[in-house]
Amino acid sequence: MLESTNYRPSSQVSQDELPASIRDAGLAHWIREPLDDAVDRRRRVIVPPAAARMGTPLSSYQGALMAESRRPDTVMMMGDNPELPKMPERPVLRDFYERRFGKIAFNHLLQSARLAREHGLGEKVIMACLLHDIAIAGLLSANHGYWAAQMVAPYVDEEVAWAIEKHEALRYFADESVGYTYPQAYIDYFGADYRPPDYISREHEAARRHRWYMTSRLVTINDVYSFDPNVVVDFDEFEDVVGRNFRQPRDGLGFDGSPVAHMWRTMIWPNNFL
Ligand SMILES: [Fe+2]
Ligand SMILES: [Fe+2]
């Protein structure tokens, strides 16, 4: 897989060129100066999206970052960020895994799908495992099951999308009849005293009564809690399942005019100002 997370400090604007407000806040890495002529020689400012900055010190620096765009040699980041691997004109699912998702998410998704396959489960479950956390991998973590389900709904069986959506709530609730216990990882993440909000409890209750309950429950059972960094799973292993269970749009994900195309475009150009 291609690495999409390595910073190349050479593409950062040098510290002394920055206004003190940005330099002192350690925001130098939000401003890129791509030196390759394929882009042009203007600096590009990345303003992190509201969902990433609210409640953090970053929210105070939006103005300073935006003010940078008034410089004649500076524009807001739009289009390809040279820091990220270039995407093909008509991206398919695999391109997002290999060119956008970080190593942890990539391994988590592929190892979960492999586990489902090793357990002899059907292709709907394997596909759901492969996709279940793509929102965390490439878009947004909060409400990740719901985002992921919407992102893939036009391209997968309805049962697969449903299982992905509901896995978020089911993860918080044990089902010992099938050997699923509350994850140690969640105790680590949230503390032993964490109780999910009411809407999650209600989602869980409703999902348990649904005819596809077990499809989603199997996603949680195969949701590997901690990935093994020594196990490298190649996407090749799932090309057959993807071929049969994910309808790749002819014009590419992000460009097929579907109601969710914008979500895929956001992963292609995640730093676009607008
Ligand atoms: Fe998840
Ligand atoms: Fe997961």
Side-chain angles (χ1 to χ4, degrees):
M1 68 181 285
L2 297 167
E3 276 299 327
S4 59
T5 49
N6 289 346
Y7 279 122
R8 282 169 294 157
S10 62
S11 69
Q12 292 179 14
V13 173
S14 71
Q15 293 282 325
D16 40 308
E17 280 183 58
L18 293 168
S21 60
I22 287 177
R23 191 176 59 233
D24 298 345
L27 296 177
H29 55 286
W30 297 111
I31 303 181
R32 301 278 167 208
E33 186 173 33
L35 294 177
D36 67 75
D37 293 338
V39 178
D40 72 27
R41 297 190 60 82
R42 289 180 295 179
R43 311 155 79 234
R44 278 165 170 72
V45 179
I46 296 174
V47 179
R53 63 174 192 261
M54 276 192 274
T56 79
L58 274 177
S59 57
S60 333
Y61 296 101
Q62 186 187 8
L65 287 169
M66 287 173 69
E68 285 294 291
S69 70
R70 291 200 285 269
R71 288 175 49 148
D73 64 341
T74 303
V75 290
M76 290 300 195
M77 180 72 81
M78 294 295 274
D80 290 337
N81 178 350
E83 200 66 23
L84 293 168
K86 196 166 169 52
M87 291 289 276
E89 225 170 284
R90 294 183 176 83
V92 295
L93 186 63
R94 181 180 188 143
D95 296 313
F96 291 87
Y97 283 70
E98 294 185 334
R99 295 164 195 252
R100 285 295 178 269
F101 299 171
K103 196 185 248 178
I104 291 175
F106 180 95
N107 282 336
H108 174 68
L109 292 169
L110 274 89
Q111 288 185 26
S112 296
R114 178 187 269 180
L115 194 60
R117 180 176 258 171
E118 285 169 0
H119 286 156
L121 297 166
E123 292 201 347
K124 282 183 192 172
V125 175
I126 297 172
M127 194 67 220
C129 287
L130 186 66
L131 294 167
H132 75 284
D133 284 338
I134 58 166
I136 298 177
L139 195 61
L140 281 168
S141 300
N143 294 290
H144 73 284
Y146 302 86
W147 285 107
Q150 284 192 318
M151 288 158 76
V152 303
Y155 316 113
V156 299
D157 189 280
E158 197 184 342
E159 184 175 349
V160 172
W162 188 90
I164 292 170
E165 179 176 307
K166 304 305 176 191
H167 96 275
E168 181 176 333
L170 294 187
R171 284 286 261 143
Y172 294 98
F173 298 92
D175 183 350
E176 309 214 342
S177 73
V178 287
Y180 180 80
T181 52
Y182 187 77
Q184 177 61 42
Y186 279 23
I187 296 175
D188 298 340
Y189 294 156
F190 312 125
D193 58 345
Y194 180 76
R195 296 291 172 270
D198 287 347
Y199 79 90
I200 287 284
S201 304
R202 287 195 299 272
E203 286 278 69
H204 159 251
E205 287 302 325
R208 271 188 107 106
R209 293 189 296 270
H210 197 280
R211 69 188 190 284
W212 292 332
Y213 167 65
M214 198 45 64
T215 312
S216 191
R217 176 50 78 197
L218 284 166
V219 173
T220 69
I221 290 173
N222 291 280
D223 200 341
V224 287
Y225 303 143
S226 54
F227 77 95
D228 182 343
N230 299 313
V231 177
V232 178
V233 186
D234 199 282
F235 199 91
D236 278 344
E237 212 175 285
F238 297 100
E239 278 291 18
D240 56 343
V241 175
V242 171
R244 287 187 291 272
N245 295 275
F246 191 95
R247 295 181 289 275
Q248 311 265 15
R250 197 192 50 213
D251 294 332
L253 288 164
F255 306 103
D256 60 345
S258 84
V260 302
H262 61 288
M263 299 185 188
W264 296 88
R265 288 196 303 271
T266 302
M267 295 195 291
I268 295 169
W269 296 301
N271 308 120
N272 274 9
F273 181 58
L274 298 176

